[in-house]
C-alpha cells in the first residue's frame, strides 16, 4: 500500500514538475528528442532589433518565433548573450548568470523561454567554458595577488627568460598566447585574445562552478548548450613548446606550429563526460565546437560509450571549399560510420556562407538549394545558420576602418575577419532589410531587396520555400527520419547520389555538382535497393512527377529528391 502511494506521488511529480516536452525523452524508435530535431543558430546581435538601437536582441528573437516555427525549426542555439565587454562579440563573458544589456534582461530571456515552449522550440545557449573575459570578477580576483584563493582558477606562469613568455605557444588571433601582468609579475595564458584568459580546468573548483552555471540555466528552462572551443580547454601540464613547422608565417606573421601541447589534451574528455551526466539529468543536449580533423578525434568526443558530447559538430563538411562529390562522399562515409549520431553543419558565425564558398555567380540560388538538399537529407542532425534559408551571402568589409571583428582588425588585409557572415538578417524590403530602422551594427547586404523572408515567402520557387519543404519532409518521411545511408554510384565525379532506406522504402537523393545537365542511372539493384520506379518529392528544377531511377536527368547544380515505388 505504502509503495503504491509512493508510486502515485512519483507519477504526479513527473506529470507536474517536469514540463511536458521534457518528458518525451525518447521517441518510439528510440531517438532522444535532439536526434530528429533541426537546430538553427542565431547570432543575437544580427537577428532582429526590437528596441531600434541597431543591435539585435532577445525580444527581437521572441518576435520571430512564429517565423521559426513556420519554417520547421525545433531548437535554436543562441550565440553568447551574456554580459560581455564584446572584445570578441560575446565570446568574452563577464557574468554567466545574466544577460548583456545590449540584448535585454533576464526577464526577456524568461519570456523567450516561455514563448518558445508552446511552439515546441527548444532554446540552447552558448557555453563559453574554456575561458572568461578579463573583466569577469573571477579573473579580477585571480589577478589581484598570487595569494588570492582564485589565483589558480586561471593559468599563471613565470617568464621563461627575463621578459620572455613562458613558452612558444601562439594565440589563434595572433602573437604570443601569454600576456604579462605587472600586478603580480607573472604571465597568464589566453588561447584567443588577451582579454580572454583561459580557465584552469585542472582546478576542481573551476569545474564545480562552471557545472553549476549549467544547472542554473537548465532550471530556468534551457534545453542544452553549445560548448565553445572545447578542444583548447586543457594545455600540456608541463607547458612544453609546440614544434614549429617550416619557416612560413601565418596571416598574423607568427610561426606555424603543430599544436600538440595546447590542444586536444586527454583530460578534456573526463570533464565532458561529467558535464554530460549533468545534462542527462535535465534531458538536455550538448553540442560541441570540437573542430575535429579526423574521424578518430570525432569518435573520442562522442565517448566510448556515447557518454560524452551528444553532438560533436563535425566541421569537416564546412571546410570543403569546392563542390566535389568525392570529398563529400568521403566525409559522409566517415561520419555515418563513426558510431555516434552524425551532425552536419555547412556554415556558422565563423565560417563563410555557402553562397560564397560554392557559388559561381550564375547558379548561386541553385547551389544554395543543392547544399540544403545535402545536409538536410542525411542521417543525423542538421544545424542551420540564420539566413542560409534565404540565400544570404557574405558581406565582407571593404575597408579596415569598418571591421568590427578583432580577428579582422589584427589580421587585415590577409585575414578580414568574420563580419561578412554575421550581417543582419534580411526580413523584408524596407530600410535595413527590416532588421532595424536605425543603422545596424554591421551593414546589410545590398541584395536584400530580392533575398529576404517576406519576398521569398510569396515566391513558391524561392530558396526559403525550398528549405521549408525540406524541413517538413524531414519531420514526416520515415525513410528520411530512420533510413540508413546507402551511397550510390560512388565513382561518379560530378553527381553525388545516395539512398536513405527504411523498411523497404527508400528516399533517393541526386545532387548534380557540375555546371552541365547530367543523366544518371542510379543502379539501385546493385546496392540492394528495390524499386519499380520513383516519384519526385522535391526538386530544384522542373521535373516530372514520376521518373525512371535508371535514367534521371538533373540540370546544372540541380537537386532531385524522390521516393521509391
Ligand atoms: C569560438 C567562437 O565560435 C568564435 O566566434 C570565437 O571567436 C572563438 N570561440 C574565441 O572566442
Amino acid at each position: 500500500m505504502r509503495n503504491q502511494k509512493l508510486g502515485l506521488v512519483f507519477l504526479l511529480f513527473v506529470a507536474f514538475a517536469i514540463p511536458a516536452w521534457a518528458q518525451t525523452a525518447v521517441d518510439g524508435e528510440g531517438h532522444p528528442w535532439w536526434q530528429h530535431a533541426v537546430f538553427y543558430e542565431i547570432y543575437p546581435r544580427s537577428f532582429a532589433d526590437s528596441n531600434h538601437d541597431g543591435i539585435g536582441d532577445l525580444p527581437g528573437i521572441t518576435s520571430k518565433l512564429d517565423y521559426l516555427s513556420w519554417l520547421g525549426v525545433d531548437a535554436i542555439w543562441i550565440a553568447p548573450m551574456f554580459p560581455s565587454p564584446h572584445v570578441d562579440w560575446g565570446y568574452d563573458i563577464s557574468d554567466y548568470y545574466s544577460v548583456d544589456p545590449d540584448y535585454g534582461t533576464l526577464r526577456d530571456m524568461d519570456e523567450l523561454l516561455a514563448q518558445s515552449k508552446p511552439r515546441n522550440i527548444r532554446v540552447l545557449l552558448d557555453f563559453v567554458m574554456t575561458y572568461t573575459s578579463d573583466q569577469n570578477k573571477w579573473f579580477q580576483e585571480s589577478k589581484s595577488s598570487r595569494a588570492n584563493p582564485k589565483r589558480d582558477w586561471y593559468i599563471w606562469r613565470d617568464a621563461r627568460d627575463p621578459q620572455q613568455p613562458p613558452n612558444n605557444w601562439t594565440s589563434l588571433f595572433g602573437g604570443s598566447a601569454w600576456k604579462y601582468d605587472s600586478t603580480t609579475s607573472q604571465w597568464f595564458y589566453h588561447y584567443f585574445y588577451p582579454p580572454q584568459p583561459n580557465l584552469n580546468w585542472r582546478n576542481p573548483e573551476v569545474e564545480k562552478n562552471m557545472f553549476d552555471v549549467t544547472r542554473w540555466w537548465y532550471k530556468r528552462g534551457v534545453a542544452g548548450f553549445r560548448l565553445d572551443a572545447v578542444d583548447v580547454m586543457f594545455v600540456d601540464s608541463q607547458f612544453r613548446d609546440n614544434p614549429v613547422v617550416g619557416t612560413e608565417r601565418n596571416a598574423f606573421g607568427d610561426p606555424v606550429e603543430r599544436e600538440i601541447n595546447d590542444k586536444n589534451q586527454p583530460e578534456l574528455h573526463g570533464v565532458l563526460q561529467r558535464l554530460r551526466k549533468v545534462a542527462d539529468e535535465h534531458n538536455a543536449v550538448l553540442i560541441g565546437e570540437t573542430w575535429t580533423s579526423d574521424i578518430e578525434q570525432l569518435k573520442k568526443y562522442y565517448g566510448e560509450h556515447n557518454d560524452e558530447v551528444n553532438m560533436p559538430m563535425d566541421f569537416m563538411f564546412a571546410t570543403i571549399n569546392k563542390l566535389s562529390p568525392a570529398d563529400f562522399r568521403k566525409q559522409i562515409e566517415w561520419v555515418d560510420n563513426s558510431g555516434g549520431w552524425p551532425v552536419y553543419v555547412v556554415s556558422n558565425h565563423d565560417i563563410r556562407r555557402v553562397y560564397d564558398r560554392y557559388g559561381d555567380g550564375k547558379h548561386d540560388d541553385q547551389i544554395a538549394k543543392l547544399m540544403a538538399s545535402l545536409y538536410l537529407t542525411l542521417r543525423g542532425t542538421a544545424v542551420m545558420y540564420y539566413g542560409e534559408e534565404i540565400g544570404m551571402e557574405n558581406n565582407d568589409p571593404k575597408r579596415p576602418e569598418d571591421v568590427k571583428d578583432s580577428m579582422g582588425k589584427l589580421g587585415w588585409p590577409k585575414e578580414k575577419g568574420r563580419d561578412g557572415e554575421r550581417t543582419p538578417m534580411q526580413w523584408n524590403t524596407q530600410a535595413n532589410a527590416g532588421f532595424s530602422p536605425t543603422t545596424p551594427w554591421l551593414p546589410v547586404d545590398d541584395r536584400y531587396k530580392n533575398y529576404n523572408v517576406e519576398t521569398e515567402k510569396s515566391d513558391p520557387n524561392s530558396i526559403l520555400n525550398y528549405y521549408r519543404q525540406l524541413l517538413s519532409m524531414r519531420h514526416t518521411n520515415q525513410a528520411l527520419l530512420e533510413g540508413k545511408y546507402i551511397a550510390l554510384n560512388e565513382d561518379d565525379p560530378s553527381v553525388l547520389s545516395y539512398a536513405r532506406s527504411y523498411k523497404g522504402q527508400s528516399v533517393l537523393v541526386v545532387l548534380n555538382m557540375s555546371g552541365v545537365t547530367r543523366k544518371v542511372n542510379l543502379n539501385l539493384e546493385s546496392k540492394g535497393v528495390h524499386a519499380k520506379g520513383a516519384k519526385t518529392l522535391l526538386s530544384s528544377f522542373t521535373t516530372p512527377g514520376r521518373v525512371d531511377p535508371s535514367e534521371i536527368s538533373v540540370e546544372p547544380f540541380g537537386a532531385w529528391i524522390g521516393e521509391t515505388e
Side-chain angles (χ1 to χ4, degrees):
M1 187 62 187
R2 191 181 139 74
N3 276 350
Q4 273 178 7
K5 264 195 187 155
L6 276 178
L8 188 68
V9 170
F10 177 73
L11 281 179
L12 285 171
F13 171 78
V14 169
F16 292 106
I18 304 176
W21 57 265
Q23 290 174 32
T24 49
V26 171
D27 71 9
E29 294 285 340
H31 294 281
W33 68 267
W34 48 270
Q35 292 192 338
H36 283 162
V38 173
F39 286 71
Y40 183 99
E41 182 196 351
I42 292 180
Y43 200 68
R45 221 175 174 75
S46 292
F47 198 59
D49 172 15
S50 74
N51 62 348
H52 303 172
D53 60 358
I55 296 172
D57 45 48
L58 297 183
I61 299 176
T62 307
S63 72
K64 301 297 182 188
L65 287 172
D66 281 338
Y67 163 70
L68 295 170
S69 160
W70 171 86
L71 181 60
V73 166
D74 305 291
I76 53 175
W77 141 35
I78 307 175
M81 74 323 138
F82 307 90
S84 162
H86 293 300
V87 172
D88 192 17
W89 298 118
Y91 282 97
D92 43 330
I93 297 179
S94 49
D95 179 1
Y96 288 83
Y97 291 98
S98 190
V99 170
D100 190 282
D102 277 357
Y103 303 136
T105 60
L106 261 182
R107 194 180 281 193
D108 293 328
M109 178 51 90
D110 289 341
E111 181 62 14
L112 169 54
L113 290 164
Q115 293 292 330
S116 54
K117 251 181 220 156
R119 294 168 174 86
N120 289 321
I121 295 179
R122 286 167 161 96
V123 179
L124 279 81
L125 302 186
D126 210 314
F127 189 39
V128 185
M129 60 190 292
T130 298
Y131 50 95
T132 68
S133 158
D134 63 353
Q135 301 306 307
N136 192 301
K137 64 177 191 298
W138 300 340
F139 185 71
Q140 293 295 316
E141 286 179 43
S142 180
K143 74 176 253 181
S144 64
S145 97
R146 290 195 188 199
N148 187 278
K150 292 209 172 53
R151 180 65 171 182
D152 188 46
W153 280 37
Y154 293 83
I155 301 172
W156 293 96
R157 302 285 290 170
D158 289 330
R160 174 152 56 185
D161 295 314
Q163 288 166 23
Q164 287 303 310
N167 64 22
N168 77 344
W169 299 345
T170 52
S171 156
L172 185 75
F173 296 146
S176 169
W178 296 94
K179 182 160 183 216
Y180 182 69
D181 186 56
S182 57
T183 325
T184 54
S185 310
Q186 276 197 314
W187 300 68
F188 67 86
Y189 175 67
H190 58 89
Y191 183 79
F192 297 102
Y193 300 122
Q196 295 172 297
N198 276 55
L199 284 159
N200 174 17
W201 276 89
R202 288 200 172 87
N203 182 328
E205 281 181 48
V206 167
E207 176 169 317
K208 182 185 174 312
N209 274 273
M210 292 302 266
F211 283 19
D212 282 350
V213 169
T214 67
R215 290 190 181 97
W216 191 83
W217 282 104
Y218 290 141
K219 286 196 188 115
R220 274 200 120 82
V222 157
F225 289 94
R226 174 261 192 187
L227 310 176
D228 179 83
V230 289
D231 54 341
V232 290
M233 198 195 299
F234 279 85
V235 292
D236 176 40
S237 57
Q238 293 173 54
F239 297 92
R240 284 170 287 202
D241 276 356
N242 277 330
V244 172
V245 189
T247 52
E248 298 250 317
R249 300 260 154 178
N250 65 20
F252 303 98
D254 298 323
V256 180
E257 295 182 359
R258 203 148 63 79
E259 295 190 279
I260 53 171
N261 292 320
D262 58 349
K263 246 188 182 174
N264 282 315
Q265 301 298 300
E267 290 97 323
L268 70 88
H269 294 288
V271 172
L272 294 176
Q273 281 159 18
R274 294 190 289 279
L275 188 64
R276 167 69 177 270
K277 284 208 177 96
V278 180
D280 283 349
E281 284 160 19
H282 297 85
N283 189 24
V285 64
L286 300 178
I287 306 182
E289 192 203 17
T290 43
W291 281 114
T292 48
S293 51
D294 61 54
I295 202 65
E296 290 313 315
Q297 265 181 15
L298 181 64
K299 281 184 181 169
K300 280 197 191 143
Y301 279 108
Y302 282 115
E304 215 179 312
H305 308 288
N306 267 311
D307 55 356
E308 208 170 308
V309 178
N310 312 71
M311 293 171 48
M313 266 189 289
D314 162 36
F315 289 119
M316 294 188 268
F317 238 36
T319 50
I320 297 178
N321 286 325
K322 58 178 192 302
L323 285 176
S324 153
D327 287 353
F328 285 115
R329 215 174 269 132
K330 193 167 81 190
Q331 296 284 329
I332 299 166
E333 207 72 50
W334 274 354
V335 177
D336 198 64
N337 290 307
S338 67
W341 184 253
V343 181
Y344 292 102
V345 177
V346 290
S347 81
N348 72 12
H349 65 281
D350 295 325
I351 300 167
R352 298 187 70 73
R353 287 189 179 273
V354 161
Y355 244 70
D356 292 76
R357 299 214 313 277
Y358 308 113
D360 66 352
K362 208 169 135 204
H363 301 93
D364 293 356
D365 290 13
Q366 289 295 85
I367 291 171
K369 291 177 184 171
L370 180 88
M371 287 307 295
S373 308
L374 170 60
Y375 81 103
L376 290 163
T377 59
L378 289 168
R379 189 184 73 91
T381 300
V383 184
M384 296 171 59
Y385 183 46
Y386 82 94
E388 286 297 326
E389 75 275 22
I390 52 170
M392 274 174 68
E393 71 177 347
N394 262 62
N395 188 20
D396 296 316
K398 316 279 175 300
R399 307 175 310 170
E401 56 270 38
D402 297 333
V403 178
K404 295 284 191 331
D405 176 13
S406 308
M407 194 174 187
K409 287 184 187 161
L410 296 167
W412 191 275
K414 282 193 184 150
E415 170 57 68
K416 294 196 171 125
R418 299 158 294 181
D419 291 352
E421 55 261 34
R422 300 173 176 179
T423 57
M425 177 69 178
Q426 295 155 200
W427 294 105
N428 54 41
T429 53
Q430 290 165 23
N432 304 317
F435 165 76
S436 168
T438 320
T439 308
W441 79 290
L442 282 177
V444 174
D445 178 21
D446 290 343
R447 295 159 63 258
Y448 81 87
K449 292 260 176 201
N450 295 325
Y451 294 87
N452 66 70
V453 170
E454 199 177 275
T455 307
E456 292 193 42
K457 253 188 175 179
S458 57
D459 171 5
N461 293 320
S462 65
I463 299 171
L464 179 60
N465 273 313
Y466 192 83
Y467 258 90
R468 184 163 182 251
Q469 289 174 77
L470 260 176
L471 261 52
S472 156
M473 260 166 54
R474 232 190 117 85
H475 284 112
T476 48
N477 184 299
Q478 282 302 302
L480 274 185
L481 285 168
E482 306 293 345
K484 70 171 188 234
Y485 166 84
I486 303 174
L488 303 171
N489 289 348
E490 283 147 289
D491 295 332
D492 192 323
S494 320
V495 182
L496 178 67
S497 334
Y498 49 89
R500 297 281 317 282
S501 297
Y502 181 68
K503 293 190 176 163
Q505 192 64 28
S506 300
V507 163
L508 308 170
V509 182
V510 185
L511 308 171
N512 182 357
M513 297 196 165
S514 79
V516 290
T517 300
R518 303 273 171 187
K519 269 222 160 68
V520 181
N521 175 357
L522 288 179
N523 296 306
L524 292 178
E525 287 298 325
S526 72
K527 289 298 182 105
V529 179
H530 308 295
K532 292 195 193 80
K535 73 164 187 254
T536 302
L537 294 175
L538 182 65
S539 166
S540 65
F541 54 97
T542 313
T543 334
R546 295 213 137 61
V547 300
D548 176 354
S550 61
E551 209 186 338
I552 302 181
S553 175
V554 193
E555 284 189 3
F557 301 106
W560 177 85
I561 304 169
E563 195 170 40
T564 53
E565 291 188 308

